[in-house]
Amino acid sequence: MAKAPPVDRRRQILDAAVRVFARQGFHACRVSDIADEAGVAYGLVYHYFKSKDQVMNELFTERWSLLLAAIEEVDKRDIPPREKLDAVAGFIIDSYRHDPDLMKVIIVEVTRAANSFGRTHMPEIKRAYDGIAKIVSDAQASGAFRDDIDPELASMWFYGAIEQLLSAWVFGLIPADEDAFERARAMVVETVCGGLEARRD
Amino acid sequence: MAKAPPVDRRRQILDAAVRVFARQGFHACRVSDIADEAGVAYGLVYHYFKSKDQVMNELFTERWSLLLAAIEEVDKRDIPPREKLDAVAGFIIDSYRHDPDLMKVIIVEVTRAANSFGRTHMPEIKRAYDGIAKIVSDAQASGAFRDDIDPELASMWFYGAIEQLLSAWVFGLIPADEDAFERARAMVVETVCGGLEARRD
Amino acid sequence: MAKAPPVDRRRQILDAAVRVFARQGFHACRVSDIADEAGVAYGLVYHYFKSKDQVMNELFTERWSLLLAAIEEVDKRDIPPREKLDAVAGFIIDSYRHDPDLMKVIIVEVTRAANSFGRTHMPEIKRAYDGIAKIVSDAQASGAFRDDIDPELASMWFYGAIEQLLSAWVFGLIPADEDAFERARAMVVETVCGGLEARRD
Amino acid sequence: MAKAPPVDRRRQILDAAVRVFARQGFHACRVSDIADEAGVAYGLVYHYFKSKDQVMNELFTERWSLLLAAIEEVDKRDIPPREKLDAVAGFIIDSYRHDPDLMKVIIVEVTRAANSFGRTHMPEIKRAYDGIAKIVSDAQASGAFRDDIDPELASMWFYGAIEQLLSAWVFGLIPADEDAFERARAMVVETVCGGLEARRD
DNA sequence: CATGAATGAGACTTCATTCAT
DNA sequence: TATGAATGAAGTCTCATTCAT
């Protein structure tokens, strides 16, 4: 008789953690909340993870590496810089669309949490900024973007603008429906790139 | 003999709290750290403040109300919208220039800390976003800005872009000298407004 | 010009303490509550009293010495034992009638508070029990009361019975009007003495 | 090899708490004192009980419910009212005999602590008074007790008399040996009932 | 006499982590 | 793997008391 496929406890715990972190925040929740949400015993969390922190680290790394890969891949494409930035913005927004809880957790607990996980993962976070900066820099070199703007700064505000949008969605400050996502992406890219592009007068 | 001017203990404690919060983060520091930094006894913090939280609230409100007032005042001026946004960006960046520790604390512990003080102060934070949105909206009405962009979204990314810059300075991701501040302000306004302004083709 | 009669601050504070202790209990109130109630400054309480405890001690001793004096005086009267006990019961109940807050405080915080003031004032409390026991003992010697009952035990339950009545009034378990006081005194004396008196069969 | 019978930690902690509360008083002892006395770690107290208060509540309820059950059971018996009251007095005195520490704690910290646990448990305490009052009231209806005495008042002083005896034992005011318990019970019942019973002249 | 700012010891409670089964 | 009892460090807040003016 075939054995039932083994339940992936590790996955089960990670998924539960996302829900709990999103609902209560990392610090406000106890390890037992995660275990309860996952429907497993208290100590099992420690069987699969070294600590509560490591659960968060795992969640972040898992997702963030996808973003880094996406930026890298986009950068290699043979398309105009505006489309590259559009693809990056799209990827980030789609990440939220696809799993809002996870993105909420990553933004709230990591990328905007400068005193805790934000510090730990600074190198990885910076790699994303650098990736965007490279796109801008290359665009300047090719003459597509005006070259009197520091690419690293531009990268900051491009990313900051998008993250602020996600934050606003997360906290219900602006409507978050399918249409809003599409319009927002189009608008932020249009505006920011509109400002970055070289004027052809 | 003239009496020595009375020391403002309350101020002394608030100022110490800024330094300690900036250095260690709100959660990582103990009330005794604040007292030590202020050079006063433990209990005195509780003589002037109801709780550790209230110290933070006080710091935030004190500073944020200045920002809200500034936005309101700027909006009333009879100047082009781009200059209005430039003034707002300038005020925020100057706030950092003037007291980097305080701005670090406010950004890290409040405006980007959605699960703690960010939630408590959401209404006040939102008032700033709304103030910026109004500037954009009025600019659209007057024909200065293109009107196919949602002012509330534009407000988000304008503010998000600036806050990201501040974060980057706070964490040493980009150089933070006098020149950098000026250039950054000019660039972000130039770029974002450049994208927002109506094209006169 | 005649000086205004000096306010008796000490008295003012003691009276305020009675109200505050009655309302909140000794441990639940702070020294500042007493000062506020008395309308004086915080530190003044410490000008007149060595400590918060001493305020309570003062209140207790002031009142309890009256009870001790009353028992002694009653015992000296040339009246039947039942009337002596009636006079004692009457004095205690009248004390409550006259100043319910003070009696509430004394009972709740001292005579029934075996772990705090009850221990400190045990000697004085015991003197009251002894006084009652002496009345019983003398009555047994004169043949008025049956002599097969230990006077010290009888004293305990006579006093215990009355104190329980006061407690019940204090906490609203039984109605506390003028009529109730009179009836209760008559009944408790009638019953307890009825049981103590020698049967003349 | 047979597993050792599991230690009932909860019981262990409750028993330790009785000893510590009896020795030092509820407020004067720290949770760590309980843990030390029980020989367990600090946090384990909080594993089994929500708070220090709850430990006390548990102790009280556990014991008081036995008293309530006993009163109810006694009342149902087909015996003369004097024997009923005798049984109730006997139960209370036996409770002390059986576990003096526990009864000390219950009396000192609950039934006579009107400002703390006494208030919380007033309803349960009152149920005992009511049970005794019912015995008196029924006795009056059957003609066994004189009917010019309020049963609720009689209940107060019956209970008050017994509790005062226990207090006196607890604090060493009167000798507490086996003989004393028996004599005291007989005497208090004899006297109080003697006073309550209808005279057959 | 009077004020109230200043002091600091002390206790409860939380919760991440460990470990015996 | 899986369980959950057991551990204990750490931090906030209270409040009686002191003291300078």
Side-chain angles (χ1 to χ4, degrees):
Chain A
M1 204 182 97
K3 238 193 346 195
V7 183
D8 187 346
R9 296 298 208 191
R10 193 186 164 79
R11 186 79 260 155
Q12 202 172 333
I13 292 169
L14 282 172
D15 290 346
V18 169
R19 292 192 296 275
V20 173
F21 290 165
R23 200 161 52 224
Q24 311 174 230
F26 179 83
H27 286 105
C29 86
R30 293 167 301 178
V31 174
S32 70
D33 293 330
I34 302 173
D36 288 352
E37 176 82 21
V40 303
Y42 201 55
L44 200 60
V45 175
Y46 284 89
H47 186 77
Y48 289 101
F49 302 91
K50 209 180 150 190
S51 68
K52 189 185 172 191
D53 276 32
Q54 202 211 322
V55 177
M56 183 74 241
N57 291 335
E58 211 83 347
L59 289 174
F60 172 76
T61 304
E62 207 174 70
R63 188 80 215 159
W64 198 257
S65 62
L66 295 185
L67 173 60
L68 293 179
I71 293 173
E72 213 167 323
E73 184 270 331
V74 162
D75 186 41
K76 282 182 191 143
R77 289 192 217 159
D78 189 23
I79 51 176
R82 173 190 286 241
E83 282 178 37
K84 288 185 180 179
L85 292 183
D86 188 63
V88 171
F91 185 87
I92 297 174
I93 291 175
D94 282 351
S95 294
Y96 178 73
R97 239 199 307 220
H98 175 258
D99 191 342
D101 276 353
L102 179 55
M103 277 308 275
K104 172 177 180 176
V105 167
I106 284 176
I107 289 176
V108 171
E109 308 291 350
V110 188
T111 64
R112 307 188 81 145
N115 278 322
S116 52
F117 293 104
R119 197 180 301 281
T120 323
H121 294 290
M122 190 62 91
E124 296 144 277
I125 296 171
K126 191 161 185 315
R127 279 190 55 202
Y129 301 157
D130 290 345
I132 295 168
K134 179 170 180 294
I135 294 176
V136 174
S137 172
D138 290 349
Q140 290 177 329
S142 76
F145 281 4
R146 45 193 289 192
D147 60 3
D148 58 347
I149 286 173
D150 190 330
E152 303 207 321
L153 293 191
S155 161
M156 282 302 153
W157 69 67
F158 178 75
Y159 181 80
I162 296 170
E163 202 185 81
Q164 182 78 5
L165 277 179
L166 263 60
S167 290
W169 282 325
V170 162
F171 296 99
L173 293 183
I174 52 176
D177 52 74
E178 276 303 304
D179 193 53
F181 295 138
E182 272 317 307
R183 280 174 47 79
R185 196 206 73 235
M187 281 193 274
V188 72
V189 172
E190 164 82 14
T191 316
V192 175
C193 291
L196 286 172
E197 281 166 8
R199 297 291 177 90
R200 271 147 290 150
D201 303 297
Chain B
M1 204 182 100
K3 226 174 29 176
V7 184
D8 188 346
R9 298 298 208 190
R10 193 187 163 79
R11 184 79 263 152
Q12 200 172 333
I13 292 168
L14 283 171
D15 290 347
V18 169
R19 292 192 297 274
V20 174
F21 290 165
R23 196 159 58 226
Q24 309 175 232
F26 180 84
H27 286 106
C29 86
R30 295 165 300 174
V31 173
S32 69
D33 293 331
I34 301 174
D36 289 351
E37 176 82 22
V40 300
Y42 197 87
L44 200 63
V45 175
Y46 286 91
H47 186 78
Y48 287 103
F49 303 93
K50 218 179 148 183
S51 67
K52 190 185 170 190
D53 276 32
Q54 203 211 318
V55 176
M56 183 74 241
N57 290 335
E58 212 83 346
L59 288 174
F60 171 76
T61 304
E62 206 174 72
R63 187 84 214 155
W64 199 257
S65 61
L66 295 184
L67 173 60
L68 293 180
I71 293 174
E72 211 167 322
E73 185 269 332
V74 161
D75 185 41
K76 280 184 193 140
R77 288 193 216 159
D78 189 22
I79 50 176
R82 174 192 282 243
E83 283 178 36
K84 288 185 180 180
L85 292 184
D86 186 63
V88 170
F91 185 88
I92 298 175
I93 291 174
D94 282 350
S95 294
Y96 178 73
R97 240 200 304 219
H98 175 259
D99 191 342
D101 278 352
L102 178 55
M103 278 309 275
K104 172 176 179 177
V105 168
I106 284 176
I107 289 177
V108 170
E109 307 292 349
V110 188
T111 64
R112 307 188 83 144
N115 277 323
S116 53
F117 292 105
R119 198 180 300 283
T120 322
H121 294 291
M122 190 62 93
E124 297 145 275
I125 296 172
K126 192 164 186 309
R127 279 191 55 202
Y129 300 157
D130 290 345
I132 296 168
K134 180 170 177 295
I135 294 175
V136 173
S137 170
D138 289 349
Q140 291 177 327
S142 76
F145 280 6
R146 46 193 287 192
D147 61 3
D148 59 345
I149 284 173
D150 190 329
E152 304 207 320
L153 293 190
S155 160
M156 283 302 153
W157 68 66
F158 177 74
Y159 180 82
I162 298 170
E163 204 185 79
Q164 183 77 7
L165 278 179
L166 264 59
S167 291
W169 281 324
V170 162
F171 295 99
L173 293 183
I174 52 176
D177 52 74
E178 274 304 302
D179 192 55
F181 295 138
E182 271 318 306
R183 281 175 46 80
R185 196 205 73 234
M187 281 193 274
V188 73
V189 172
E190 164 83 15
T191 317
V192 175
C193 290
L196 286 172
E197 282 166 9
R199 296 293 175 91
R200 269 149 292 148
D201 302 296
Chain C
M1 205 181 96
K3 240 194 345 196
V7 184
D8 188 346
R9 296 297 207 193
R10 193 187 164 77
R11 186 77 262 154
Q12 202 172 333
I13 292 170
L14 283 171
D15 291 346
V18 169
R19 294 192 295 276
V20 173
F21 290 165
R23 199 161 54 225
Q24 309 175 229
F26 180 84
H27 286 104
C29 86
R30 293 166 300 176
V31 175
S32 71
D33 293 330
I34 302 174
D36 288 353
E37 176 81 23
V40 302
Y42 202 53
L44 200 60
V45 175
Y46 284 88
H47 187 76
Y48 288 102
F49 302 92
K50 211 178 146 189
S51 68
K52 188 185 171 190
D53 277 31
Q54 203 211 321
V55 176
M56 182 75 243
N57 290 336
E58 211 81 350
L59 289 173
F60 172 76
T61 305
E62 205 173 70
R63 186 83 214 156
W64 198 256
S65 61
L66 295 184
L67 174 60
L68 293 180
I71 293 174
E72 213 168 321
E73 184 271 332
V74 161
D75 186 40
K76 282 184 190 139
R77 288 192 216 160
D78 188 22
I79 50 174
R82 174 191 285 244
E83 283 178 34
K84 288 186 180 177
L85 292 183
D86 188 62
V88 171
F91 185 88
I92 297 174
I93 290 175
D94 282 351
S95 295
Y96 178 72
R97 237 198 307 217
H98 175 260
D99 192 343
D101 276 352
L102 179 55
M103 279 307 277
K104 172 176 178 177
V105 168
I106 284 175
I107 290 177
V108 171
E109 307 292 350
V110 189
T111 65
R112 308 188 82 146
N115 277 324
S116 51
F117 293 105
R119 197 181 300 281
T120 322
H121 294 289
M122 191 62 92
E124 297 144 276
I125 297 172
K126 192 163 186 312
R127 279 190 57 202
Y129 300 158
D130 290 346
I132 296 167
K134 181 171 177 296
I135 295 176
V136 173
S137 172
D138 289 349
Q140 289 176 327
S142 74
F145 281 6
R146 44 192 292 190
D147 61 4
D148 59 347
I149 285 173
D150 189 330
E152 302 208 322
L153 294 191
S155 162
M156 282 302 154
W157 68 66
F158 178 74
Y159 180 82
I162 297 170
E163 202 184 80
Q164 182 79 6
L165 278 179
L166 265 59
S167 290
W169 282 325
V170 162
F171 295 100
L173 292 183
I174 52 177
D177 52 73
E178 275 304 303
D179 194 53
F181 295 138
E182 271 318 306
R183 282 175 46 80
R185 197 205 73 237
M187 282 194 273
V188 73
V189 171
E190 164 83 13
T191 317
V192 173
C193 291
L196 286 173
E197 281 166 7
R199 296 290 177 90
R200 270 147 291 151
D201 302 297
Chain D
M1 206 182 97
K3 222 174 27 175
V7 184
D8 187 346
R9 297 298 208 189
R10 192 187 163 80
R11 185 78 265 152
Q12 200 173 333
I13 292 168
L14 282 172
D15 291 346
V18 168
R19 293 193 295 276
V20 174
F21 290 164
R23 198 161 55 227
Q24 310 175 229
F26 180 84
H27 286 104
C29 86
R30 294 164 301 173
V31 173
S32 70
D33 293 330
I34 302 175
D36 288 352
E37 176 81 23
V40 301
Y42 199 86
L44 200 61
V45 175
Y46 286 90
H47 186 77
Y48 287 103
F49 303 92
K50 217 179 149 184
S51 67
K52 190 185 170 191
D53 276 32
Q54 204 212 320
V55 177
M56 183 75 242
N57 290 335
E58 212 82 348
L59 289 173
F60 171 77
T61 304
E62 205 173 71
R63 187 83 214 155
W64 198 256
S65 61
L66 295 183
L67 173 60
L68 293 179
I71 293 174
E72 212 169 323
E73 184 270 332
V74 162
D75 185 41
K76 281 186 190 136
R77 289 193 216 158
D78 189 21
I79 51 176
R82 175 191 283 245
E83 284 178 35
K84 288 185 179 177
L85 292 183
D86 187 62
V88 171
F91 184 88
I92 297 173
I93 290 173
D94 283 351
S95 295
Y96 178 73
R97 241 200 304 220
H98 175 260
D99 191 343
D101 276 353
L102 179 55
M103 278 309 276
K104 172 176 176 176
V105 168
I106 285 175
I107 290 176
V108 171
E109 307 293 349
V110 188
T111 65
R112 307 187 83 144
N115 278 323
S116 53
F117 293 106
R119 198 182 299 283
T120 322
H121 294 291
M122 190 62 93
E124 297 144 276
I125 297 172
K126 193 166 185 311
R127 279 191 55 201
Y129 300 158
D130 290 344
I132 296 168
K134 179 170 178 298
I135 295 177
V136 173
S137 170
D138 289 349
Q140 289 176 328
S142 75
F145 280 6
R146 46 192 290 194
D147 61 2
D148 59 346
I149 284 173
D150 190 329
E152 303 206 321
L153 293 190
S155 161
M156 282 302 154
W157 68 65
F158 177 76
Y159 180 83
I162 297 169
E163 203 186 78
Q164 182 78 7
L165 278 178
L166 266 60
S167 290
W169 282 324
V170 161
F171 295 99
L173 293 183
I174 53 177
D177 53 73
E178 275 304 302
D179 193 53
F181 295 138
E182 271 318 305
R183 283 173 46 77
R185 196 206 74 234
M187 282 193 274
V188 73
V189 171
E190 165 82 13
T191 317
V192 174
C193 292
L196 286 173
E197 280 166 7
R199 297 292 176 87
R200 267 147 292 148
D201 303 296

